[in-house]
PDB file of all heavy atoms in Angstrom:
ATOM      1  N   GLU A   1     -87.622 -71.145 -99.961  1.00 97.00           N
ATOM      2  CA  GLU A   1     -86.898 -72.144 -99.168  1.00 97.00           C
ATOM      3  C   GLU A   1     -87.868 -73.041 -98.413  1.00 97.00           C
ATOM      4  O   GLU A   1     -87.697 -74.266 -98.368  1.00 97.00           O
ATOM      5  CB  GLU A   1     -85.924 -71.477 -98.172  1.00 97.00           C
ATOM      6  CG  GLU A   1     -84.764 -70.756 -98.831  1.00 97.00           C
ATOM      7  CD  GLU A   1     -85.095 -69.320 -99.223  1.00 97.00           C
ATOM      8  OE1 GLU A   1     -86.184 -68.811 -98.864  1.00 97.00           O
ATOM      9  OE2 GLU A   1     -84.277 -68.710 -99.918  1.00 97.00           O
ATOM     10  N   GLU A   2     -88.906 -72.453 -97.825  1.00 97.00           N
ATOM     11  CA  GLU A   2     -89.883 -73.227 -97.073  1.00 97.00           C
ATOM     12  C   GLU A   2     -90.671 -74.152 -97.998  1.00 97.00           C
ATOM     13  O   GLU A   2     -90.957 -75.304 -97.652  1.00 97.00           O
ATOM     14  CB  GLU A   2     -90.835 -72.300 -96.311  1.00 97.00           C
ATOM     15  CG  GLU A   2     -90.187 -71.557 -95.175  1.00 97.00           C
ATOM     16  CD  GLU A   2     -89.432 -70.282 -95.569  1.00 97.00           C
ATOM     17  OE1 GLU A   2     -89.291 -69.986 -96.789  1.00 97.00           O
ATOM     18  OE2 GLU A   2     -88.974 -69.575 -94.662  1.00 97.00           O
ATOM     19  N   SER A   3     -91.008 -73.658 -99.189  1.00 97.00           N
ATOM     20  CA  SER A   3     -91.721 -74.483-100.163  1.00 97.00           C
ATOM     21  C   SER A   3     -90.876 -75.683-100.576  1.00 97.00           C
ATOM     22  O   SER A   3     -91.366 -76.822-100.617  1.00 97.00           O
ATOM     23  CB  SER A   3     -92.078 -73.651-101.400  1.00 97.00           C
ATOM     24  OG  SER A   3     -92.912 -72.570-101.054  1.00 97.00           O
ATOM     25  N   ALA A   4     -89.621 -75.430-100.871  1.00 98.00           N
ATOM     26  CA  ALA A   4     -88.717 -76.510-101.277  1.00 98.00           C
ATOM     27  C   ALA A   4     -88.531 -77.521-100.152  1.00 98.00           C
ATOM     28  O   ALA A   4     -88.566 -78.738-100.390  1.00 98.00           O
ATOM     29  CB  ALA A   4     -87.367 -75.934-101.706  1.00 98.00           C
ATOM     30  N   GLU A   5     -88.360 -77.059 -98.939  1.00 98.00           N
ATOM     31  CA  GLU A   5     -88.167 -77.965 -97.804  1.00 98.00           C
ATOM     32  C   GLU A   5     -89.422 -78.799 -97.547  1.00 98.00           C
ATOM     33  O   GLU A   5     -89.332 -79.991 -97.248  1.00 98.00           O
ATOM     34  CB  GLU A   5     -87.775 -77.203 -96.542  1.00 98.00           C
ATOM     35  CG  GLU A   5     -87.563 -78.087 -95.320  1.00 98.00           C
ATOM     36  CD  GLU A   5     -86.602 -79.250 -95.552  1.00 98.00           C
ATOM     37  OE1 GLU A   5     -85.643 -79.118 -96.341  1.00 98.00           O
ATOM     38  OE2 GLU A   5     -86.820 -80.329 -94.942  1.00 98.00           O
ATOM     39  N   PHE A   6     -90.592 -78.182 -97.680  1.00 98.00           N
ATOM     40  CA  PHE A   6     -91.831 -78.947 -97.506  1.00 98.00           C
ATOM     41  C   PHE A   6     -91.869 -80.085 -98.515  1.00 98.00           C
ATOM     42  O   PHE A   6     -92.161 -81.231 -98.175  1.00 98.00           O
ATOM     43  CB  PHE A   6     -93.072 -78.051 -97.675  1.00 98.00           C
ATOM     44  CG  PHE A   6     -94.342 -78.823 -97.474  1.00 98.00           C
ATOM     45  CD1 PHE A   6     -94.880 -78.964 -96.209  1.00 98.00           C
ATOM     46  CD2 PHE A   6     -94.966 -79.449 -98.545  1.00 98.00           C
ATOM     47  CE1 PHE A   6     -96.037 -79.711 -96.009  1.00 98.00           C
ATOM     48  CE2 PHE A   6     -96.118 -80.196 -98.361  1.00 98.00           C
ATOM     49  CZ  PHE A   6     -96.653 -80.330 -97.084  1.00 98.00           C
ATOM     50  N   ALA A   7     -91.592 -79.781 -99.779  1.00 98.00           N
ATOM     51  CA  ALA A   7     -91.631 -80.801-100.832  1.00 98.00           C
ATOM     52  C   ALA A   7     -90.587 -81.885-100.595  1.00 98.00           C
ATOM     53  O   ALA A   7     -90.885 -83.075-100.743  1.00 98.00           O
ATOM     54  CB  ALA A   7     -91.428 -80.147-102.191  1.00 98.00           C
ATOM     55  N   ARG A   8     -89.366 -81.487-100.211  1.00 98.00           N
ATOM     56  CA  ARG A   8     -88.302 -82.469 -99.978  1.00 98.00           C
ATOM     57  C   ARG A   8     -88.661 -83.440 -98.866  1.00 98.00           C
ATOM     58  O   ARG A   8     -88.312 -84.617 -98.927  1.00 98.00           O
ATOM     59  CB  ARG A   8     -86.994 -81.759 -99.634  1.00 98.00           C
ATOM     60  CG  ARG A   8     -86.225 -81.266-100.843  1.00 98.00           C
ATOM     61  CD  ARG A   8     -84.797 -80.858-100.473  1.00 98.00           C
ATOM     62  NE  ARG A   8     -84.768 -79.699 -99.597  1.00 98.00           N
ATOM     63  CZ  ARG A   8     -84.720 -78.427-100.001  1.00 98.00           C
ATOM     64  NH1 ARG A   8     -84.687 -78.152-101.288  1.00 98.00           N
ATOM     65  NH2 ARG A   8     -84.696 -77.446 -99.140  1.00 98.00           N
ATOM     66  N   SER A   9     -89.361 -82.971 -97.848  1.00 98.00           N
ATOM     67  CA  SER A   9     -89.660 -83.817 -96.689  1.00 98.00           C
ATOM     68  C   SER A   9     -91.068 -84.420 -96.724  1.00 98.00           C
ATOM     69  O   SER A   9     -91.442 -85.162 -95.815  1.00 98.00           O
ATOM     70  CB  SER A   9     -89.491 -82.999 -95.406  1.00 98.00           C
ATOM     71  OG  SER A   9     -90.413 -81.924 -95.373  1.00 98.00           O
ATOM     72  N   ALA A  10     -91.833 -84.146 -97.762  1.00 98.00           N
ATOM     73  CA  ALA A  10     -93.237 -84.576 -97.803  1.00 98.00           C
ATOM     74  C   ALA A  10     -93.388 -86.096 -97.698  1.00 98.00           C
ATOM     75  O   ALA A  10     -94.210 -86.587 -96.916  1.00 98.00           O
ATOM     76  CB  ALA A  10     -93.913 -84.060 -99.069  1.00 98.00           C
ATOM     77  N   ARG A  11     -92.643 -86.851 -98.447  1.00 98.00           N
ATOM     78  CA  ARG A  11     -92.746 -88.318 -98.396  1.00 98.00           C
ATOM     79  C   ARG A  11     -92.402 -88.822 -96.998  1.00 98.00           C
ATOM     80  O   ARG A  11     -93.116 -89.629 -96.417  1.00 98.00           O
ATOM     81  CB  ARG A  11     -91.840 -88.956 -99.448  1.00 98.00           C
ATOM     82  CG  ARG A  11     -91.992 -90.478 -99.521  1.00 98.00           C
ATOM     83  CD  ARG A  11     -91.029 -91.093-100.526  1.00 98.00           C
ATOM     84  NE  ARG A  11     -91.110 -90.518-101.845  1.00 98.00           N
ATOM     85  CZ  ARG A  11     -91.975 -90.904-102.789  1.00 98.00           C
ATOM     86  NH1 ARG A  11     -92.845 -91.848-102.535  1.00 98.00           N
ATOM     87  NH2 ARG A  11     -91.976 -90.323-103.978  1.00 98.00           N
ATOM     88  N   ARG A  12     -91.333 -88.303 -96.454  1.00 98.00           N
ATOM     89  CA  ARG A  12     -90.890 -88.700 -95.110  1.00 98.00           C
ATOM     90  C   ARG A  12     -91.950 -88.355 -94.058  1.00 98.00           C
ATOM     91  O   ARG A  12     -92.090 -89.030 -93.052  1.00 98.00           O
ATOM     92  CB  ARG A  12     -89.559 -87.999 -94.810  1.00 98.00           C
ATOM     93  CG  ARG A  12     -88.906 -88.358 -93.511  1.00 98.00           C
ATOM     94  CD  ARG A  12     -87.504 -87.751 -93.369  1.00 98.00           C
ATOM     95  NE  ARG A  12     -87.470 -86.294 -93.433  1.00 98.00           N
ATOM     96  CZ  ARG A  12     -86.951 -85.579 -94.439  1.00 98.00           C
ATOM     97  NH1 ARG A  12     -86.417 -86.174 -95.480  1.00 98.00           N
ATOM     98  NH2 ARG A  12     -86.962 -84.268 -94.410  1.00 98.00           N
ATOM     99  N   ASN A  13     -92.725 -87.304 -94.320  1.00 98.00           N
ATOM    100  CA  ASN A  13     -93.758 -86.864 -93.384  1.00 98.00           C
ATOM    101  C   ASN A  13     -95.121 -87.505 -93.635  1.00 98.00           C
ATOM    102  O   ASN A  13     -96.125 -87.058 -93.088  1.00 98.00           O
ATOM    103  CB  ASN A  13     -93.864 -85.343 -93.408  1.00 98.00           C
ATOM    104  CG  ASN A  13     -92.643 -84.697 -92.767  1.00 98.00           C
ATOM    105  OD1 ASN A  13     -92.042 -85.249 -91.857  1.00 98.00           O
ATOM    106  ND2 ASN A  13     -92.275 -83.534 -93.258  1.00 98.00           N
ATOM    107  N   GLY A  14     -95.167 -88.536 -94.471  1.00 98.00           N
ATOM    108  CA  GLY A  14     -96.383 -89.311 -94.637  1.00 98.00           C
ATOM    109  C   GLY A  14     -97.325 -88.875 -95.738  1.00 98.00           C
ATOM    110  O   GLY A  14     -98.449 -89.369 -95.824  1.00 98.00           O
ATOM    111  N   PHE A  15     -96.880 -87.980 -96.601  1.00 98.00           N
ATOM    112  CA  PHE A  15     -97.735 -87.536 -97.701  1.00 98.00           C
ATOM    113  C   PHE A  15     -97.575 -88.468 -98.900  1.00 98.00           C
ATOM    114  O   PHE A  15     -96.498 -89.021 -99.128  1.00 98.00           O
ATOM    115  CB  PHE A  15     -97.387 -86.097 -98.122  1.00 98.00           C
ATOM    116  CG  PHE A  15     -97.731 -85.085 -97.068  1.00 98.00           C
ATOM    117  CD1 PHE A  15     -96.765 -84.625 -96.188  1.00 98.00           C
ATOM    118  CD2 PHE A  15     -99.033 -84.619 -96.943  1.00 98.00           C
ATOM    119  CE1 PHE A  15     -97.078 -83.709 -95.197  1.00 98.00           C
ATOM    120  CE2 PHE A  15     -99.357 -83.695 -95.951  1.00 98.00           C
ATOM    121  CZ  PHE A  15     -98.379 -83.243 -95.079  1.00 98.00           C
ATOM    122  N   GLY A  16     -98.652 -88.609 -99.666  1.00 98.00           N
ATOM    123  CA  GLY A  16     -98.612 -89.417-100.872  1.00 98.00           C
ATOM    124  C   GLY A  16     -98.865 -88.609-102.131  1.00 98.00           C
ATOM    125  O   GLY A  16     -98.611 -89.077-103.237  1.00 98.00           O
ATOM    126  N   VAL A  17     -99.348 -87.385-101.952  1.00 98.00           N
ATOM    127  CA  VAL A  17     -99.660 -86.521-103.081  1.00 98.00           C
ATOM    128  C   VAL A  17     -99.723 -85.075-102.591  1.00 98.00           C
ATOM    129  O   VAL A  17    -100.043 -84.827-101.429  1.00 98.00           O
ATOM    130  CB  VAL A  17    -100.993 -86.945-103.744  1.00 98.00           C
ATOM    131  CG1 VAL A  17    -102.159 -86.788-102.792  1.00 98.00           C
ATOM    132  CG2 VAL A  17    -101.248 -86.221-105.050  1.00 98.00           C
ATOM    133  N   ILE A  18     -99.399 -84.146-103.498  1.00 98.00           N
ATOM    134  CA  ILE A  18     -99.434 -82.721-103.168  1.00 98.00           C
ATOM    135  C   ILE A  18    -100.324 -82.012-104.182  1.00 98.00           C
ATOM    136  O   ILE A  18    -100.143 -82.173-105.392  1.00 98.00           O
ATOM    137  CB  ILE A  18     -98.024 -82.093-103.202  1.00 98.00           C
ATOM    138  CG1 ILE A  18     -97.105 -82.776-102.175  1.00 98.00           C
ATOM    139  CG2 ILE A  18     -98.092 -80.584-102.955  1.00 98.00           C
ATOM    140  CD1 ILE A  18     -95.643 -82.352-102.281  1.00 98.00           C
ATOM    141  N   LEU A  19    -101.272 -81.230-103.680  1.00 98.00           N
ATOM    142  CA  LEU A  19    -102.082 -80.352-104.520  1.00 98.00           C
ATOM    143  C   LEU A  19    -101.562 -78.939-104.309  1.00 98.00           C
ATOM    144  O   LEU A  19    -101.330 -78.534-103.167  1.00 98.00           O
ATOM    145  CB  LEU A  19    -103.554 -80.420-104.127  1.00 98.00           C
ATOM    146  CG  LEU A  19    -104.322 -81.693-104.494  1.00 98.00           C
ATOM    147  CD1 LEU A  19    -103.873 -82.868-103.660  1.00 98.00           C
ATOM    148  CD2 LEU A  19    -105.800 -81.473-104.325  1.00 98.00           C
ATOM    149  N   ALA A  20    -101.362 -78.207-105.401  1.00 98.00           N
ATOM    150  CA  ALA A  20    -100.788 -76.863-105.308  1.00 98.00           C
ATOM    151  C   ALA A  20    -101.648 -75.878-106.081  1.00 98.00           C
ATOM    152  O   ALA A  20    -101.795 -75.999-107.296  1.00 98.00           O
ATOM    153  CB  ALA A  20     -99.364 -76.858-105.857  1.00 98.00           C
ATOM    154  N   ALA A  21    -102.233 -74.927-105.374  1.00 97.00           N
ATOM    155  CA  ALA A  21    -103.121 -73.934-105.988  1.00 97.00           C
ATOM    156  C   ALA A  21    -102.421 -72.583-106.059  1.00 97.00           C
ATOM    157  O   ALA A  21    -101.884 -72.110-105.058  1.00 97.00           O
ATOM    158  CB  ALA A  21    -104.400 -73.811-105.173  1.00 97.00           C
ATOM    159  N   ALA A  22    -102.438 -71.989-107.250  1.00 96.00           N
ATOM    160  CA  ALA A  22    -101.815 -70.670-107.406  1.00 96.00           C
ATOM    161  C   ALA A  22    -102.410 -69.975-108.622  1.00 96.00           C
ATOM    162  O   ALA A  22    -102.824 -70.616-109.578  1.00 96.00           O
ATOM    163  CB  ALA A  22    -100.302 -70.808-107.568  1.00 96.00           C
ATOM    164  N   GLY A  23    -102.419 -68.661-108.559  1.00 93.00           N
ATOM    165  CA  GLY A  23    -102.904 -67.848-109.667  1.00 93.00           C
ATOM    166  C   GLY A  23    -101.767 -67.106-110.332  1.00 93.00           C
ATOM    167  O   GLY A  23    -100.607 -67.233-109.949  1.00 93.00           O
ATOM    168  N   LYS A  24    -102.106 -66.354-111.351  1.00 90.00           N
ATOM    169  CA  LYS A  24    -101.170 -65.535-112.140  1.00 90.00           C
ATOM    170  C   LYS A  24    -100.012 -66.374-112.657  1.00 90.00           C
ATOM    171  O   LYS A  24    -100.225 -67.301-113.416  1.00 90.00           O
ATOM    172  CB  LYS A  24    -100.726 -64.317-111.356  1.00 90.00           C
ATOM    173  CG  LYS A  24    -101.888 -63.385-111.053  1.00 90.00           C
ATOM    174  CD  LYS A  24    -101.430 -62.118-110.388  1.00 90.00           C
ATOM    175  CE  LYS A  24    -102.650 -61.250-110.094  1.00 90.00           C
ATOM    176  NZ  LYS A  24    -102.322 -60.081-109.332  1.00 90.00           N
ATOM    177  N   ALA A  25     -98.771 -66.101-112.222  1.00 84.00           N
ATOM    178  CA  ALA A  25     -97.618 -66.837-112.740  1.00 84.00           C
ATOM    179  C   ALA A  25     -97.649 -68.310-112.344  1.00 84.00           C
ATOM    180  O   ALA A  25     -97.100 -69.154-113.041  1.00 84.00           O
ATOM    181  CB  ALA A  25     -96.323 -66.196-112.250  1.00 84.00           C
ATOM    182  N   ALA A  26     -98.301 -68.641-111.238  1.00 91.00           N
ATOM    183  CA  ALA A  26     -98.576 -70.019-110.817  1.00 91.00           C
ATOM    184  C   ALA A  26     -97.362 -70.942-110.848  1.00 91.00           C
ATOM    185  O   ALA A  26     -97.426 -72.040-111.363  1.00 91.00           O
ATOM    186  CB  ALA A  26     -99.718 -70.588-111.651  1.00 91.00           C
ATOM    187  N   HIS A  27     -96.278 -70.521-110.262  1.00 94.00           N
ATOM    188  CA  HIS A  27     -95.074 -71.360-110.227  1.00 94.00           C
ATOM    189  C   HIS A  27     -95.057 -72.354-109.083  1.00 94.00           C
ATOM    190  O   HIS A  27     -94.177 -73.208-109.023  1.00 94.00           O
ATOM    191  CB  HIS A  27     -93.828 -70.463-110.141  1.00 94.00           C
ATOM    192  CG  HIS A  27     -93.611 -69.644-111.361  1.00 94.00           C
ATOM    193  ND1 HIS A  27     -93.457 -68.291-111.313  1.00 94.00           N
ATOM    194  CD2 HIS A  27     -93.551 -69.993-112.661  1.00 94.00           C
ATOM    195  CE1 HIS A  27     -93.292 -67.830-112.537  1.00 94.00           C
ATOM    196  NE2 HIS A  27     -93.360 -68.840-113.371  1.00 94.00           N
ATOM    197  N   LEU A  28     -96.001 -72.273-108.167  1.00 97.00           N
ATOM    198  CA  LEU A  28     -95.956 -73.097-106.958  1.00 97.00           C
ATOM    199  C   LEU A  28     -95.898 -74.587-107.247  1.00 97.00           C
ATOM    200  O   LEU A  28     -95.062 -75.299-106.692  1.00 97.00           O
ATOM    201  CB  LEU A  28     -97.148 -72.768-106.052  1.00 97.00           C
ATOM    202  CG  LEU A  28     -97.190 -73.488-104.708  1.00 97.00           C
ATOM    203  CD1 LEU A  28     -95.944 -73.184-103.878  1.00 97.00           C
ATOM    204  CD2 LEU A  28     -98.447 -73.082-103.946  1.00 97.00           C
ATOM    205  N   ALA A  29     -96.769 -75.096-108.099  1.00 97.00           N
ATOM    206  CA  ALA A  29     -96.772 -76.536-108.391  1.00 97.00           C
ATOM    207  C   ALA A  29     -95.427 -76.976-108.965  1.00 97.00           C
ATOM    208  O   ALA A  29     -94.887 -78.008-108.568  1.00 97.00           O
ATOM    209  CB  ALA A  29     -97.907 -76.879-109.348  1.00 97.00           C
ATOM    210  N   GLY A  30     -94.868 -76.191-109.857  1.00 97.00           N
ATOM    211  CA  GLY A  30     -93.580 -76.531-110.452  1.00 97.00           C
ATOM    212  C   GLY A  30     -92.443 -76.503-109.453  1.00 97.00           C
ATOM    213  O   GLY A  30     -91.562 -77.371-109.473  1.00 97.00           O
ATOM    214  N   VAL A  31     -92.447 -75.529-108.570  1.00 97.00           N
ATOM    215  CA  VAL A  31     -91.403 -75.460-107.538  1.00 97.00           C
ATOM    216  C   VAL A  31     -91.487 -76.676-106.627  1.00 97.00           C
ATOM    217  O   VAL A  31     -90.470 -77.302-106.301  1.00 97.00           O
ATOM    218  CB  VAL A  31     -91.522 -74.149-106.721  1.00 97.00           C
ATOM    219  CG1 VAL A  31     -90.706 -74.213-105.441  1.00 97.00           C
ATOM    220  CG2 VAL A  31     -91.087 -72.968-107.574  1.00 97.00           C
ATOM    221  N   LEU A  32     -92.706 -77.043-106.225  1.00 98.00           N
ATOM    222  CA  LEU A  32     -92.867 -78.220-105.373  1.00 98.00           C
ATOM    223  C   LEU A  32     -92.432 -79.483-106.115  1.00 98.00           C
ATOM    224  O   LEU A  32     -91.710 -80.318-105.567  1.00 98.00           O
ATOM    225  CB  LEU A  32     -94.314 -78.338-104.887  1.00 98.00           C
ATOM    226  CG  LEU A  32     -94.787 -77.208-103.974  1.00 98.00           C
ATOM    227  CD1 LEU A  32     -96.298 -77.287-103.769  1.00 98.00           C
ATOM    228  CD2 LEU A  32     -94.054 -77.212-102.646  1.00 98.00           C
ATOM    229  N   ALA A  33     -92.841 -79.620-107.368  1.00 98.00           N
ATOM    230  CA  ALA A  33     -92.482 -80.799-108.160  1.00 98.00           C
ATOM    231  C   ALA A  33     -90.979 -80.912-108.378  1.00 98.00           C
ATOM    232  O   ALA A  33     -90.443 -82.017-108.488  1.00 98.00           O
ATOM    233  CB  ALA A  33     -93.210 -80.763-109.502  1.00 98.00           C
ATOM    234  N   ALA A  34     -90.287 -79.782-108.414  1.00 98.00           N
ATOM    235  CA  ALA A  34     -88.837 -79.793-108.605  1.00 98.00           C
ATOM    236  C   ALA A  34     -88.105 -80.373-107.410  1.00 98.00           C
ATOM    237  O   ALA A  34     -86.943 -80.770-107.528  1.00 98.00           O
ATOM    238  CB  ALA A  34     -88.337 -78.377-108.885  1.00 98.00           C
TER     239      ALA A  34
END
């Protein structure tokens, strides 16, 4: 939930790009991109 909320509000909070680092199943980048 926190990951999704961060991504949903990222543009509004002044971000222009997100880098997502993860190992093994590495779903973090995909969850943020969704």
Side-chain angles (χ1 to χ4, degrees):
E1 293 86 8
E2 291 83 354
S3 299
E5 180 52 33
F6 181 88
R8 278 193 294 270
S9 63
R11 185 183 306 274
R12 184 173 60 250
N13 289 329
F15 292 97
V17 63
I18 299 172
L19 288 70
K24 296 185 181 174
H27 294 126
L28 184 59
V31 165
L32 295 169

